[in-house]
Amino acid sequence: MGEQHPAEKKVVMEFSPADMPDLTPIQREKLKKLVGVRYNPEKDIVKMSCEMFENQAQNKRYLGDLVDDLLKEARVYFEL
């Protein structure tokens, strides 16, 4: 009836670090540490959500970009 539901713009995304392409075991562990509490070790799933933009497409794009940034950071190697 013309009213919008508050959760209408929310996007939830789940992925498994094991399914991420071209990550070594060390990089997978780094990714898990980067996502923090969003990682569920029992299911080996990362769950993220976003509802800060006006529509779902913007929230979906933000989450996709965020995952890309996390993967780039996980692949960075620092030698001590």
Side-chain angles (χ1 to χ4, degrees):
M1 299 289 238
E3 295 181 29
Q4 292 184 347
H5 190 275
E8 187 174 280
K9 60 186 180 176
K10 185 175 185 177
V11 174
V12 178
M13 179 172 113
E14 292 183 344
F15 68 91
S16 173
D19 293 339
M20 293 293 105
D22 303 326
L23 288 182
T24 66
I26 292 171
Q27 292 170 336
R28 278 191 199 95
E29 289 302 313
K30 186 175 178 183
L31 177 62
K32 292 173 190 176
K33 290 177 183 177
L34 287 170
V35 298
V37 298
R38 294 170 189 87
Y39 176 67
N40 181 341
E42 294 174 2
K43 296 182 179 181
D44 190 38
I45 294 287
V46 174
K47 184 174 182 179
M48 304 171 77
S49 65
C50 181
E51 56 184 320
M52 66 182 178
F53 296 106
E54 288 297 314
N55 59 49
Q56 282 185 336
Q58 289 173 308
N59 289 317
K60 183 177 177 181
R61 174 69 183 252
Y62 173 80
L63 286 176
D65 291 345
L66 183 59
V67 170
D68 287 342
D69 290 344
L70 286 167
L71 289 172
K72 286 177 192 171
E73 187 63 33
R75 289 184 177 114
V76 171
Y77 176 74
F78 291 104
E79 192 171 318
L80 299 176

